């Protein structure tokens, strides 16, 4: 606390403390940080070096492995070995001990195809019992592979050790498999020493995670097994990564890198560890820390001295300035500030003095200006509130004279041709005219206008009156001699005022002009209205004429439509009529034949009971005839075959042919009679009778059908015409559509398929039936023509709110986009000349409009649909009914 | 204070930590040699191909891990019902590395330049792929800015698969006009995930990533292709970490790679076939029974194990298993020398005659040791009493000699150009290619039913129907046995474990689009 108080006592002390802190803190932070980074890098460098050394050692080990694999293959390919293995296996051991280079580092075995080992040699630096643990067993996988023509090399874990195992097949020159060479090299101290000699770092091998052999030694120079990695490190290695750590091994600290050893299948079975001593790193760290401490202490002392000196240079002038300020605050404005430094504090003192002087002068000027401005404001408001030009002019002059304290003043307004007219005056004799203007004023006014600037001459003052784009005139004011001349201040005041006044004058003038112009306009409008009414009457007349012409045309289009319709109907009737005619003709011929056959039957003297039974059956068959479908050829063939067999069984002659005829006449039931009677009557005759009867029935049905369709058509036509139903009737639009479709049947028959999507719950709509049918006819005709007789039409009915809708869609080429807005106009057609009058859709539009409905079209290539919406409440009451004859 | 402020920079230096510039994430790839050219239309060697597929793209590309195609610069396509008009919709918003937009004009330029001999950028005689695989193209036309129509002079269904080949990549017309066709080959400009950086002949090609690549910028910033001709040095470079990826790995190095914990081996079934062809137009192999006997006599298992070191699969027919339409249910010929001998005796084979077997002495990608294979076959045939004379020649001469059809038997192999079975069946076994002097069909095999099937398959657009035709064709080939199909070699690539998402395709191309290096 006492220290804090001492520091707080003076600015100098505070500054010194702050500067010491400011200078020293970064210095200390930076150097501590630097040391940390540098030392960290050093340490990381050692770790990285360890990791790199581990990689090099691993590559070296693998190179060694590869060499062993190559040597093994080479040995397996030796021709002498082939011969020995094939012919004299007992001599193989001798060959090995003489010829194989490998035996100095590894166990070499020669296996035969039966998996027995023919020979085995190993170097003598280890005991036989040690080697015996590494011998191949008959079911070892490496042996299996080699005896399957495959070369093999891998790390393996055998008996708690990691070994390199290589195997190669012995295949002789005729490609017969003779056996295999197996080489096994343990990862032992000897190999570790070899690698240590190359990479200059300690090396160790681990089986799983337990150390097996290494080059690490303790303080007594004895070998130690090595370091066992932690669980985390083991897991990292098992995932195939290199684990780095620092640990004590044999009493010394090492940076250690564990790298995995894996089988050819990727299973991690052991590790190799590389260790680099950390002694050098520790020495370096210690010396670096020492230098840092010394450097910091020196820096601290240096900073304190500098800070003290700088602090003094700043605090002395400040305290002088403080004294002067106190004295100025007491009111002594003329005081000289006695600060002699040339730095910012000296400048501050000078500026301080200048400031007080300037302050006082400004205060006085400000007060005068405020007075002028308040006067000006008052006048301005008065002038702007008046709108009559003359009034404004007079007011301006009055106010100027008043403000200036002058006795007289005039305002001269400029004409378009440059003349000046006296417009307002104050203080002049009452008769007021140009001649009475004081001497030199007009001249003065002209000059101020020319040079666009105010003038003061003796006791007279002239100011131009102008807005931004327009000259209005000039204002001249004067004092009598005794009052003296005008000052600069007066002039500035008047100029400012006149700027405002000019705007007010201009506004007043413009207002006046606008008022006069509007009076003119009213008169002109009255005249034009008369002319327009006349033109309107003429137009109405023309329109009436046009409407009559249009009605005429619509009628003729309808007649043309009717013509098409009649042609179609005629065709419709013609077809069934032709069919009926043909059938009737055949009927006659068949009857003649039938009579002839009946005669033959009678003459044959057949028993009447048998004949009657035959006819009873024949009649039954005939009755059924009409409702049956025709038989398929396959069925006919099958039934004929069966029947023929039955007939042949009864010795009926020509059975096959008869059977077929019976089947075709659907008379299988008659067979019984044919067989019964075959002794008395020719079977041909019986079958012929049956056929005639069947034919008669078919003809009668055909005629009936034909006449039926004619009757239906005629009825439909009647419905369509509805000549007697001009009134509104509730109808189901589906019926109307169906009627129209029936009538257009001819046009739609070929190539056009009609899909119906009728809403079954569609309510009835009150319509003019005959006219509505016309709508459907026109739309459908339009579609078929657009499609050129080929395609698909879809008719859909639906309910849409309080409307019933019908949508007719075709997949024709569509209506060109530019034509779309005009299709409902009369005489507009996209059909080729002569195919359409262009009234069809126009009529449709009118009829739909008459029903108070709406028609919409939506067209694009391949899909054009017309949607007609008819209101459920019927044609609007009181709507003007267009004549739709 | 002045003296003090001078101290500050010194202090910063003392701290020793000015932020270092981060080097770009670089992936180094070692291959056997230098590319010959970087003009996609003129290239035909595999080293050029490896680089070109990074810089360029075509209208379609192979789907990963398959020989089927998927959209690349074209987003969709349509073929007319008569199979002669292919319409491609192009991807919008794709830009070349020089900043110009990729559109229909660029596609037309890239293809027409190869087709039209009067094109200002046509290099006479240089476009070998076009001559062999795109002759049926009649016209390439722009329909609108993003639509291209290609007309063929006849229906040709392998056409779409052909379009995934690198020679029909889309090149930047602007850059080619600026540089000329010859200089463009040293400064290629395409739309691919990497753009060309520099090329030091015989040493390395450097590519930079294309940050605006439409499929997302690659994570690797720089791609370096190094030429290291010796297999051993490639392995050393890989284990020491100076390169990240190695292709062209020697079979004997394979085991070392899999023993190394920081390396990874990629093995992809190859789009290739190695086979023994028997001349079906000469005695004694004009008799299908003799040919079937030879099929029973050859011990493929031993060949695959010994000669290929297990890095291949036994072939049962011409079509590799990775190719669509591969048929595994055709007639099989298990190794059975006794049966083979009996079949020969039954066929009345003249055991005193000697037959020739033509072999190349140079290793091929599909035959790592052709002589060993030949000797094993000779031994197998000797076992059943067939006397064989080996005729060994360097590859070029071997090729010339076998194309004349003067051999009894010969070894042959084929690397598929595109992902289409036509490329195997039609090229290697149709009677059209059994012309003496330029025969690709080394068995001189001529079968009318097969011919008809293959021609129909060529004109058929529907994939399912084509597959049925090709399956039938494979049955005929198995039945008639003009070959002893031997093996389909695996494509082998070794990479460092830090390299993720490497995509090795059956065509041997390696894609680095999604590769991450950690």
């Amino acid at each position: 606390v006492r220290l804090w108080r001492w520091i707080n006592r003076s600015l100098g002390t505070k500054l010194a403390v702050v500067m010491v802190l400011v200078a020293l803190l970064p210095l200390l932070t930076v150097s501590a940080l630097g040391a940390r980074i540098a030392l960290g890098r050093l340490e990381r460098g050692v770790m990285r070096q360890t990791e790199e050394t581990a990689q090099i050692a691993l590559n070296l080990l693998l190179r060694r492995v590869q060499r062993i694999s190559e040597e093994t293959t080479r040995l397996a390919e030796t021709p002498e070995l082939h011969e020995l293995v094939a012919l004299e296996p007992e001599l193989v051991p001798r060959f090995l001990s003489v010829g194989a280079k490998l035996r100095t580092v590894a166990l070499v075995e020669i296996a035969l195809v039966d998996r027995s080992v023919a020979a085995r040699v190993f170097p003598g630096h280890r005991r036989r019992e040690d080697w015996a643990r590494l011998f191949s067993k008959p079911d070892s996988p490496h042996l299996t592979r080699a005896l399957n023509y495959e070369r093999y090399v891998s790390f393996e874990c055998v008996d708690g050790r990691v070994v390199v195992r290589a195997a190669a097949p012995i295949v002789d020159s005729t490609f017969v498999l003779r056996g295999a060479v197996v080489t096994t090299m343990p990862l032992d101290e000897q190999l570790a020493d070899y690698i240590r000699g190359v990479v200059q770092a300690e090396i160790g091998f681990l089986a799983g995670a337990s150390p097996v052999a290494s080059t690490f030694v303790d303080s007594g120079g004895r070998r130690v097994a090595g370091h066992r990695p932690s669980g985390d490190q083991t897991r990292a290695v098992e995932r195939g990564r290199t684990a780095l750590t620092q640990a004590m091994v044999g009493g010394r600290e090492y940076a250690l890198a564990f790298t995995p050893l894996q089988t050819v299948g990727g299973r991690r079975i052991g590790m190799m560890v590389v260790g680099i001593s950390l002694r050098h790193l520790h020495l370096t760290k210690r010396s670096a820390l020492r230098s840092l401490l010394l450097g910091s202490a020196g820096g601290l002392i240096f900073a304190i001295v500098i800070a003290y000196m700088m602090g003094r240079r700043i605090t002395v002038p400040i305290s002088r300035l403080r004294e002067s300020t106190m004295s100025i605050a007491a009111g002594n404005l003329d005081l000289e500030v006695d600060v002699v430094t040339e730095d910012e504090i000296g400048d501050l003192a000078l500026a301080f003095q200048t400031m007080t002087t300037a302050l006082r002068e400004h205060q006085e000027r400000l007060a005068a200006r405020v007075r002028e401005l308040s006067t000006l404001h008052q006048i301005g408001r008065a002038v702007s509130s008046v709108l009559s030009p003359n009034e404004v002019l007079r007011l301006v002059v009055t106010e100027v004279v008043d403000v200036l304290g002058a006795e007289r003043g005039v305002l001269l307004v400029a004409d378009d041709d440059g003349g000046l007219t006296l417009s307002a005056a104050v203080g002049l004799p009452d008769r007021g005219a140009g001649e009475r203007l004081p001497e030199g004023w007009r001249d003065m006014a002209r000059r101020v206008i020319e040079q666009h600037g105010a003038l003061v001459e003796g006791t007279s003052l002239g100011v131009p009156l102008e807005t931004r784009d327009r000259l209005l005139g000039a204002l001249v004011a004067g004092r009598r001699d005794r009052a003296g001349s005008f000052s600069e201040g007066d002039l500035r005041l008047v100029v400012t005022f006149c700027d405002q006044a000019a705007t007010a004058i201009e506004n007043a003038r413009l207002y006046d002009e606008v008022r006069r112009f509007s009076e003119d306009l009213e008169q002109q409008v009255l005249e034009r209205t008369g002319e327009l009414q006349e033109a309107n009457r003429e137009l109405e007349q023309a329109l009436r004429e046009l409407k009559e012409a249009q009605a005429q045309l619509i009628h003729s289009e309808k007649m043309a439509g009717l013509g098409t319709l009649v042609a179609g109907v005629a065709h419709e009737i013609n077809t069934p009529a032709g069919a009926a005619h043909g059938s009737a003709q055949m009927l006659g011929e068949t009857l003649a034949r039938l009579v002839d056959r009946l005669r033959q039957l009678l003459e044959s003297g057949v028993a009447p009971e048998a004949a009657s039974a035959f006819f009873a059956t024949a009649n039954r068959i005939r009755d059924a005839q009409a409702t049956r479908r025709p038989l398929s050829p396959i069925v006919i063939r099958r039934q004929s075959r069966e029947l023929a067999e039955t007939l042949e069984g009864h010795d009926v002659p020509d059975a096959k042919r008869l059977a077929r005829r019976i089947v075709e006449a659907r008379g299988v039931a008659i067979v019984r009679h044919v067989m019964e009677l075959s002794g008395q009557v020719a079977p041909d005759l019986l079958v012929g009778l049956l056929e005639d009867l069947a034919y008669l029935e078919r003809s009668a049905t055909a005629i009936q059908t034909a006449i039926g369709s004619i009757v239906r058509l005629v009825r439909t036509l009647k419905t369509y015409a509805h000549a007697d139903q001009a009134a509104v009737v509730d109808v189901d639009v589906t019926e109307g559509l169906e009627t129209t479709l029936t009538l257009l049947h001819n046009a739609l028959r070929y190539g056009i398929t009609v899909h119906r999507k009728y809403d079954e719950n569609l309510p009835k709509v009150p319509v003019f039936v005959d006219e509505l049918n016309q709508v459907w006819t026109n739309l459908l005709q339009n579609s078929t023509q657009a499609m050129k007789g080929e395609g698909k039409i879809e008719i859909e009915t639906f309910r849409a709110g309080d409307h019933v809708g019908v949508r007719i869609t075709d997949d024709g080429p569509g209506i060109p986009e530019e034509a779309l807005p005009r299709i409902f106009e009369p005489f507009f057609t996209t059909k080729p000349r002569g195919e359409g009058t262009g009234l069809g859709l126009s009529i449709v539009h009118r009829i739909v409009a008459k029903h108070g409905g709406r028609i919409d079209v939506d067209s694009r290539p391949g899909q054009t649909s017309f949607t007609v919406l008819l209101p459920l409440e019927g044609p609007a009451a009181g709507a003007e009914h267009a004549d739709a004859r | 204070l002045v003296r003090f402020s001078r101290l500050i920079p010194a202090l910063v230096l003392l701290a020793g930590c000015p932020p270092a510039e981060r080097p770009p994430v670089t992936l180094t790839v070692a291959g056997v040699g230098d590319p010959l050219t970087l003009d996609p239309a003129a290239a035909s060697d595999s080293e050029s191909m490896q680089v070109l597929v990074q810089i360029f793209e075509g209208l379609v590309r192979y789907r990963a891990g398959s020989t089927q195609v998927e959209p690349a610069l074209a987003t969709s396509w349509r073929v007319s019902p008569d199979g002669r008009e292919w319409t491609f919709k192009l991807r919008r918003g794709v830009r070349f590395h020089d900043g110009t937009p990729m559109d229909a004009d660029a596609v037309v330029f890239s293809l027409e330049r190869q087709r039209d001999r009067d094109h200002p950028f046509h290099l006479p005689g240089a476009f070998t792929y076009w001559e062999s695989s795109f002759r049926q193209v009649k016209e390439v036309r722009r329909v609108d800015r993003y639509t291209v129509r290609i007309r063929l002079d006849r229906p040709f269904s392998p056409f779409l698969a052909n379009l995934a080949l690198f020679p029909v990549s889309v090149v930047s017309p602007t850059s080619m006009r600026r540089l000329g066709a010859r200089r463009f080959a040293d400064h290629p400009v395409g739309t691919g995930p990497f753009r060309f950086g520099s090329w030091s002949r015989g040493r390395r090609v450097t590519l930079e990533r294309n940050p605006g690549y439409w499929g997302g910028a690659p994570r690797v910033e720089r791609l370096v292709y190094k030429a290291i001709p010796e297999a051993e040095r490639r392995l050393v470079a890989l284990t020491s970490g100076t390169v990240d990826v190695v292709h062209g790995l020697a079979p004997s190095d394979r085991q070392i790679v899999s023993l190394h914990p920081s390396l990874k081996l990629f093995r992809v079934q190859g789009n290739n076939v190695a086979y023994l062809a028997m001349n079906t137009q000469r005695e004694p192999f004009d008799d299908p029974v003799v040919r079937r006997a030879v099929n029973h006599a050859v011990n493929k298992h031993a060949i695959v194990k010994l000669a290929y070191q297990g890095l291949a699969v036994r072939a049962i027919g011409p079509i590799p298993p990775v190719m669509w339409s591969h048929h595994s249910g055709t007639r099989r010929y298990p190794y059975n020398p006794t049966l083979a001998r009996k079949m020969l005796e039954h066929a009345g084979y003249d055991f005193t005659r000697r037959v020739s077997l033509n072999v190349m002495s140079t290793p091929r990608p599909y035959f790592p040791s052709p002589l060993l294979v030949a000797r094993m076959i000779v031994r197998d045939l000797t076992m059943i009493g067939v006397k064989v004379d080996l005729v060994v020649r360097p590859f070029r001469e071997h090729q010339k000699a076998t194309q004349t059809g003067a051999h009894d038997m010969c070894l042959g192999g084929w690397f598929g150009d595109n992902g289409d079975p036509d490329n195997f069946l039609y090229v290697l076994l149709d009677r059209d290619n059994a012309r003496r002097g330029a025969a690709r069909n080394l068995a001189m095999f001529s079968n009318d039913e097969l011919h008809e099937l293959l021609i129909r398959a060529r004109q058929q657009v529907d994939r399912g129907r084509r597959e049925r035709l090709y399956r039938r064709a494979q049955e005929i080939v198995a039945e008639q046995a003009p070959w002893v199909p031997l093996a389909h070699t695996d494509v082998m690539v070794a990479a460092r474990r830090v390299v993720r998402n490497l995509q090795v395709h059956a065509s041997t191309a390696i894609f680095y689009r999604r590769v991450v290096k950690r």
Side-chain angles (χ1 to χ4, degrees), chain A residues 542-809:
Chain A
L543 195 62
R544 258 197 307 283
E545 285 165 13
L546 198 62
K547 267 188 179 169
E548 279 162 25
Q550 196 180 355
Q552 205 86 48
L553 267 164
I554 287 167
H555 181 62
S556 64
E557 165 72 357
K558 280 177 122 182
M559 293 312 284
L562 198 58
T564 319
L565 204 62
V566 166
V569 167
H571 182 90
E572 284 302 308
I573 292 177
N574 222 12
T575 313
H581 179 71
S583 297
Q585 219 166 16
M586 287 304 288
L587 212 58
E589 288 168 19
T590 312
L591 264 177
R593 205 162 55 233
L594 182 67
V595 168
D596 187 42
R597 283 193 171 132
L598 279 173
R599 190 178 48 76
Q600 283 180 36
L601 185 69
L602 282 177
E603 282 169 4
S604 71
V606 74
E609 302 83 52
S612 145
F614 170 78
F615 280 113
T617 310
N619 208 33
R620 230 177 23 250
I621 292 167
R622 186 189 58 78
D623 271 352
Q625 197 70 260
T627 55
R628 285 192 190 156
R629 288 158 178 269
L631 289 175
S632 77
I634 299 170
V635 176
I636 291 179
R637 254 202 311 279
R638 183 163 49 77
Q639 289 191 356
S640 307
R641 205 165 49 238
E642 287 166 11
L643 202 60
E645 278 167 18
T646 320
L647 290 175
E648 273 167 1
H650 285 77
D651 296 332
V652 177
D654 207 2
K656 272 189 190 149
R657 196 171 52 81
L658 275 182
R660 190 173 181 94
R661 280 171 65 191
I662 292 172
V663 170
E664 275 173 355
R666 313 295 283 267
V668 180
I670 212 85
V671 170
R672 187 161 49 88
H673 305 282
V674 173
M675 288 186 309
E676 271 172 20
L677 297 173
S678 64
Q680 305 161 22
V681 190
D684 259 350
L685 182 64
L686 293 176
V687 176
L689 275 170
L690 179 71
E691 283 172 343
D692 286 346
L693 286 171
Y695 189 79
L696 280 181
E697 181 58 34
R698 275 210 299 279
S699 301
T701 315
I703 293 170
Q704 217 167 0
T705 314
I707 290 176
S709 64
I710 293 172
V711 167
R712 241 188 344 270
L713 194 70
V714 170
R715 199 178 295 144
T716 315
L717 203 57
K718 217 170 122 192
T719 322
Y720 177 82
H722 273 297
D724 49 345
Q725 290 190 23
V728 175
V729 186
D730 279 357
V731 300
D732 179 355
V733 290
T734 317
E735 271 172 27
L737 283 165
E738 276 306 305
T739 308
T740 313
L741 280 174
T742 313
L743 290 173
L744 289 174
H745 178 63
N746 194 32
L748 295 174
R749 191 164 44 173
Y750 304 107
I752 292 177
T753 42
V754 180
H755 292 266
R756 297 164 170 86
K757 276 168 69 182
Y758 294 149
D759 179 354
E760 285 172 11
N761 305 318
L762 205 65
K764 293 194 170 192
V765 209
V767 295
F768 301 99
V769 183
D770 53 342
E771 295 186 6
L772 202 60
N773 283 346
Q774 172 100 40
V775 169
W776 310 141
T777 311
N778 282 6
L779 287 181
L780 285 167
Q781 255 174 354
N782 237 36
S783 290
T784 51
Q785 279 164 2
M787 289 190 295
K788 310 249 188 298
E790 211 168 276
K792 207 169 72 185
I793 293 182
E794 187 180 278
I795 304 177
E796 188 187 354
T797 62
F798 54 90
R799 171 148 186 194
D802 50 359
H803 283 73
V804 160
V806 175
R807 182 175 297 128
I808 296 176
T809 310

Side-chain angles (χ1 to χ4, degrees), chain A residues 7-257:
Chain A
I7 289 172
N8 253 343
R9 194 151 345 134
S10 92
L11 188 60
T13 323
K14 268 196 265 185
L15 258 174
V17 170
V18 166
M19 281 167 74
V20 167
L21 287 179
V22 164
L24 207 62
L25 268 184
L27 178 72
L28 282 175
T29 318
V30 165
S31 47
L33 216 65
R36 216 185 130 82
I37 289 171
L39 291 177
R41 280 197 172 185
L42 211 59
E43 195 167 328
R44 276 203 301 280
V46 171
M47 294 316 282
R48 198 175 314 132
Q49 192 199 342
T50 313
E51 192 179 358
E52 279 165 8
T53 311
Q55 283 300 320
I56 294 168
L58 185 71
N59 287 345
L60 204 65
L61 176 64
L62 287 172
R63 205 116 204 76
R64 191 75 189 229
V65 170
Q66 196 177 10
R67 192 81 32 81
I68 286 180
S69 167
E70 284 164 11
E71 287 293 333
T72 308
T73 311
R74 197 165 304 145
L75 182 62
E77 284 171 353
T78 321
E80 294 95 310
L81 185 63
H82 297 166
E83 277 172 33
L84 284 178
V85 169
L87 304 171
E88 292 170 280
E90 61 276 11
L91 290 182
V92 174
R94 201 123 119 255
F95 165 77
L96 273 189
S97 53
V98 178
K101 258 193 279 174
L102 275 169
R103 73 195 149 83
T104 57
V105 292
L107 162 70
V108 181
E109 296 167 301
I110 307 291
L112 301 180
V113 268
D114 62 358
R115 292 170 182 266
S116 65
V117 174
R120 208 171 247 145
V121 287
F122 41 82
H125 69 273
R126 291 161 68 95
R127 286 174 304 156
R128 190 192 152 78
E129 297 89 84
D130 288 343
W131 288 113
R133 296 203 198 104
L134 306 181
F135 287 171
S136 300
K137 298 188 180 57
D139 58 345
S140 300
H142 59 267
L143 208 53
T144 312
R145 288 198 179 197
L147 291 176
N148 190 20
Y149 297 102
E150 229 174 286
R151 280 179 220 158
Y152 171 84
V153 58
S154 183
F155 289 106
E156 281 183 13
C157 201
V158 184
D159 189 37
R161 307 195 70 98
V162 181
V163 301
V164 177
R165 187 96 79 174
I170 304 175
V171 180
D172 68 12
S173 54
T174 60
F175 299 103
V176 175
L177 185 75
R178 298 293 184 189
V181 178
V182 179
T183 311
T184 311
M185 182 181 73
L187 302 188
D188 56 8
E189 281 89 0
Q190 196 185 339
L191 185 61
D193 285 341
Y194 162 73
I195 298 173
R196 181 182 188 280
V198 180
V199 299
Q200 293 297 314
E202 305 301 330
I203 302 293
F205 297 116
L206 296 85
S210 30
V212 182
S214 80
T215 60
F216 292 103
V217 289
D218 63 11
S219 49
R222 285 180 302 267
R223 269 183 204 269
V224 294
H227 176 75
R228 193 185 179 87
S230 72
D232 280 350
Q233 289 154 9
T234 309
R235 274 189 292 281
V237 173
E238 270 164 9
R239 278 198 296 272
R241 289 208 284 271
T242 299
L244 297 173
T245 181
Q246 295 180 3
M248 302 290 288
V249 187
R252 292 204 186 97
E253 200 168 8
Y254 285 97
L256 298 175

Side-chain angles (χ1 to χ4, degrees), chain B residues 254-460:
Chain B
R254 194 246 324 193
Q255 285 175 318
I256 298 304
V257 169
S258 46
L259 283 180
H260 202 296
S262 36
L263 300 185
K264 221 172 5 174
L265 193 71
F266 291 84
R267 233 175 107 174
V268 176
Q269 287 201 344
N271 186 22
N272 59 57
V273 65
Y275 58 91
L276 168 75
M278 293 168 272
N279 192 335
T280 56
Q281 294 188 5
R282 279 162 67 118
E283 279 193 21
F285 298 114
D286 54 347
D287 182 353
V289 181
V290 175
R291 300 199 296 259
R292 284 182 201 131
V294 172
N295 264 283
H296 277 300
V298 174
N299 185 354
K300 291 184 207 173
H301 174 71
I303 291 176
V304 166
K305 290 289 182 190
L306 264 183
Y308 288 88
Q309 293 285 298
L311 301 177
V313 291
R314 261 176 279 173
I316 54 168
I319 302 282
V322 283
M323 173 76 77
W324 62 272
S325 83
H326 168 76
H327 191 1
S328 57
T330 55
R331 178 168 175 175
R332 300 273 183 119
Y333 298 94
Y335 175 55
N336 189 343
T338 326
L339 175 65
R341 171 82 192 191
K342 272 194 196 134
M343 286 170 78
L344 283 187
E345 281 164 5
H346 186 72
Y349 184 78
D350 173 10
F351 287 101
T352 60
R353 78 176 301 148
R354 303 192 70 84
V355 293
S356 64
L357 168 57
N358 283 37
V359 190
M360 59 289 236
S361 55
T362 334
R364 307 295 303 157
Y366 39 80
F367 275 132
S369 38
L371 261 176
L372 182 58
V373 173
R375 279 176 29 226
M376 293 179 81
I377 291 171
V378 171
R379 184 254 170 186
D380 287 337
L381 293 182
T382 315
M383 288 272 288
I384 59 164
V386 175
K387 298 191 174 61
V388 187
D389 293 322
L390 271 186
V391 183
V392 184
R393 293 194 185 91
F395 179 65
R396 296 259 168 244
E397 288 160 40
H398 167 81
Q399 206 175 18
K400 230 177 265 169
T402 49
Q403 281 175 352
T404 60
H407 54 279
D408 292 325
M409 289 188 287
C410 68
L411 289 190
W414 184 252
F415 244 91
D417 283 319
N418 55 12
D420 203 279
D422 177 81
N423 189 251
F424 281 81
L425 288 168
Y426 181 78
V427 175
L428 302 179
L429 286 159
D430 190 67
R431 66 170 194 221
D432 287 354
N433 284 313
R435 279 177 297 132
R436 286 173 197 284
R440 279 265 164 83
N441 178 352
L442 301 180
M444 300 291 157
F445 183 57
S446 171
N447 182 298
D448 293 341
E449 191 190 347
L450 181 71
H451 175 74
E452 197 198 322
L453 282 171
L454 294 179
I455 294 302
R456 258 171 64 204
R458 285 194 139 192
Q459 294 167 353
Q460 177 62 253

